[in-house]
Amino acid sequence: MSESILDRVRSTCAAVVQDPLCCVRVDSSALDRFVSSSSSFTEAAFDALARPTRLPLRFDTLDQELNLHCVLALLNFGHGFRRELHAAVDRGAWESVLVGVMSMHVAGAALDARFFEALTESDVAEHFQLPIMTDRPHESIPGLAISSPSVLRPFIALVQTVLRDTGARLRQLGYQRLSQFVLDTLKPSSAASATSTAAGPSAAVLVERLVQCFPAFEDCSVFNGHRVLFLKKAQFLASEVYTLFGTRDPERFAFKDVDQLTVFVDNVVPAVLRQLGILVLAPELCTMIDSHVDLSTTRRVEGSAPIVELAGGKSLQDADVQLRAAAVSACEEIVALARQRHPWAATLNAKRLDYYLWRLGKEPGYRTVTRHKDQTTFYY
Ligand SMILES: Nc1nc2c(c(CN[C@H]3C=C[C@H](O)[C@@H]3O)cn2[C@@H]2O[C@H](COP(=O)(O)O)[C@@H](O)[C@H]2O)c(=O)[nH]1
């Protein structure tokens, strides 16, 4: 059988960790200790933390509810602006996206191609309740204020670009809304899902189509010449629709391959794994993260000298790719070991582990751990 797109996430991430240039290591003893921990790795802890979000909204139709979750997944990025967001509006990236999307919904916006294409940066700023400009006093003229783009302007611009481009792609594909695209892709008799209809609907089919059709879902990178797949937002969307609609419309959403999803790797999961000692990073990388250096500065440009030289002749390149790949691989190992170790974990999968680790990252003791950042990405 050919490798599914979800298998390719696993295999390409594993290849990064095995690459001699990789400076993030998975520590098996720490991983074992975590899985064996009788205080944090318990069924009760998972039940308490690994729950999906319920939104305080009313929907007229399943299509409308599905569409809103598609837009939330599409915009599930902005991790790199966390500090600036907290300073300005006391919310993190995810909460800011929730506020923005819920505001559009409550205002009666159709959240369709036409709406997305017409949206300006000022509209985005208004819905997300973010400052697009900031004022500072003029250096020599008392009483005069100078207005300049706020530190959140690049985030606002990314949101506007993603919505505009996704709107244009939808129109080219002949759809108005992302929900229509998803419903069509998962239609039991459709050509796109033909490979999966016999055995039931497939998360891999949805992920693959999202990635093929919308650049904003194409979360792939390159490390040392290898293409690496993460597909965070597409997998997150597959996971959410499985949880929300799997019972209501099982023919479309009760994915038979839900256990094949990997973690939806962002900046929270690697930070939690680092705190647990499961990810061990080169000291230079720890310093960069802890001093809030944007890791897009470690992006390797063909033909140019490496930016950070490490001991032993290594160099630090594409550091965020290494961190995310190591996190995906470590989580695969955690699931495999937990299934062997605990009877209650026989049905554990990466999706559930992701929700657990992500929520753990918000708990005291983890919340203050510095996470890596990349302000240039719209993938996470
Ligand atoms: N791996 C993983 N990453 C996730 C999520 C979510 C949303 N989770 C809720 C929704 C459904 C579930 O039931 C969860 O309750 C957001 N993020 C990422 O975190 C990043 C940091 O955000 P913040 O700390 O706010 O600044 C944000 O850019 C986003 O990319 C998740 O679930 N898993």
Side-chain angles (χ1 to χ4, degrees), residues 293-360:
V293 172
D294 189 311
L295 294 190
S296 64
T297 55
T298 66
R299 194 75 59 239
R300 179 91 165 110
V301 180
E302 211 51 58
S304 66
I307 296 163
V308 183
E309 300 280 1
L310 303 181
K314 284 192 187 180
S315 64
L316 184 58
Q317 59 182 38
D318 302 314
D320 53 323
V321 182
Q322 301 186 41
L323 276 166
R324 295 179 81 202
V328 169
S329 289
C331 287
E332 291 296 310
E333 286 184 43
I334 292 173
V335 170
L337 188 63
R339 285 177 164 195
Q340 290 171 17
R341 208 37 80 74
H342 308 293
W344 66 264
T347 55
L348 184 67
N349 55 21
K351 159 184 160 48
R352 202 142 176 264
L353 178 65
D354 177 274
Y355 284 171
Y356 173 73
L357 291 174
W358 194 77
R359 298 285 289 276
L360 191 62

Side-chain angles (χ1 to χ4, degrees), residues 38-55:
S38 55
S39 56
S40 51
F41 210 94
T42 61
E43 189 169 17
F46 269 78
D47 283 347
L49 292 182
R51 287 214 209 97
T53 314
R54 297 270 167 226
L55 301 178

Side-chain angles (χ1 to χ4, degrees), residues 51-53 76 79 93-94 232 264 266 354 358 362 371:
R51 287 214 209 97
T53 314
N76 191 352
H79 76 276
W94 170 246
K232 184 216 133 169
F264 326 127
D266 55 357
D354 177 274
W358 194 77
K362 310 268 163 178
R371 307 176 191 163

Side-chain angles (χ1 to χ4, degrees), residues 49 51-53 76-80 82 85-86 91-96 232 236 240 263-269 354-355 358-359 362 367 371 379-380:
L49 292 182
R51 287 214 209 97
T53 314
N76 191 352
F77 65 85
H79 76 276
R82 178 174 184 241
L85 285 166
H86 270 289
R91 286 191 284 270
W94 170 246
E95 264 193 297
S96 298
K232 184 216 133 169
F236 174 72
E240 290 284 276
V263 285
F264 326 127
V265 68
D266 55 357
N267 63 337
V268 181
V269 175
D354 177 274
Y355 284 171
W358 194 77
R359 298 285 289 276
K362 310 268 163 178
R367 239 202 123 69
R371 307 176 191 163
Y379 296 138
Y380 70 106

Side-chain angles (χ1 to χ4, degrees), residues 252-284:
R252 278 199 174 88
F253 297 110
F255 302 132
K256 62 174 198 296
D257 55 352
V258 69
D259 287 350
Q260 298 301 309
L261 294 169
T262 69
V263 285
F264 326 127
V265 68
D266 55 357
N267 63 337
V268 181
V269 175
V272 172
L273 294 174
R274 178 185 166 202
Q275 173 79 350
L276 289 165
I278 295 175
L279 292 190
V280 181
L281 286 50
E284 293 86 345

Side-chain angles (χ1 to χ4, degrees), residues 15-293:
V16 172
V17 184
Q18 283 151 19
D19 191 310
L21 279 187
C22 186
C23 57
V24 181
R25 188 170 62 75
V26 179
D27 185 314
S28 313
S29 323
L31 193 143
D32 198 314
R33 275 196 302 280
F34 173 56
V35 174
S36 311
S37 154
S38 55
S39 56
S40 51
F41 210 94
T42 61
E43 189 169 17
F46 269 78
D47 283 347
L49 292 182
R51 287 214 209 97
T53 314
R54 297 270 167 226
L55 301 178
L57 296 175
R58 276 195 32 178
F59 299 99
D60 297 328
T61 58
L62 183 143
D63 181 286
Q64 195 188 37
E65 185 176 357
L66 171 62
N67 195 48
L68 186 123
H69 283 280
C70 291
V71 179
L72 277 176
L74 174 74
L75 297 181
N76 191 352
F77 65 85
H79 76 276
F81 295 91
R82 178 174 184 241
R83 291 203 320 150
E84 290 83 352
L85 285 166
H86 270 289
V89 290
D90 199 20
R91 286 191 284 270
W94 170 246
E95 264 193 297
S96 298
V97 170
L98 270 181
V99 165
V101 176
M102 292 206 296
S103 154
M104 295 179 202
H105 171 80
V106 171
L111 301 183
D112 60 4
R114 188 198 295 248
F115 174 73
F116 292 157
E117 285 186 283
L119 217 55
T120 63
E121 287 188 16
S122 303
D123 298 332
V124 171
E126 204 167 303
H127 283 297
F128 281 60
Q129 297 172 17
L130 299 176
I132 201 164
M133 303 295 284
T134 37
D135 288 341
R136 62 182 163 78
H138 190 279
E139 278 161 21
S140 50
I141 310 175
L144 189 67
I146 307 280
S147 209
S148 55
S150 84
V151 285
L152 291 169
R153 180 79 179 262
F155 174 53
I156 294 166
L158 279 179
V159 171
Q160 192 259 342
T161 307
V162 164
L163 289 175
R164 185 199 59 207
D165 293 355
T166 303
R169 282 298 293 143
L170 276 171
R171 232 174 359 87
Q172 285 164 6
L173 294 162
Y175 296 104
Q176 305 276 324
R177 295 181 301 283
L178 280 166
S179 54
Q180 291 175 320
F181 172 88
V182 170
L183 290 169
D184 214 19
T185 299
L186 297 173
K187 194 160 66 193
S189 59
S190 81
S193 59
T195 50
S196 64
T197 45
S202 159
V205 167
L206 176 59
V207 169
E208 179 136 40
R209 286 287 293 158
L210 284 166
V211 172
Q212 275 169 357
C213 295
F214 299 100
F217 281 110
E218 202 187 346
D219 177 12
C220 305
S221 302
V222 173
F223 178 70
N224 199 20
H226 310 289
R227 190 156 186 261
V228 190
L229 278 63
F230 299 110
L231 315 182
K232 184 216 133 169
K233 297 192 304 181
Q235 294 201 73
F236 174 72
L237 178 54
S239 168
E240 290 284 276
V241 297
Y242 170 88
T243 310
L244 292 160
F245 306 109
T247 337
R248 278 191 265 171
D249 186 352
E251 289 214 342
R252 278 199 174 88
F253 297 110
F255 302 132
K256 62 174 198 296
D257 55 352
V258 69
D259 287 350
Q260 298 301 309
L261 294 169
T262 69
V263 285
F264 326 127
V265 68
D266 55 357
N267 63 337
V268 181
V269 175
V272 172
L273 294 174
R274 178 185 166 202
Q275 173 79 350
L276 289 165
I278 295 175
L279 292 190
V280 181
L281 286 50
E284 293 86 345
L285 178 53
C286 292
T287 308
M288 286 178 95
I289 295 173
D290 297 342
S291 45
H292 309 286
V293 172

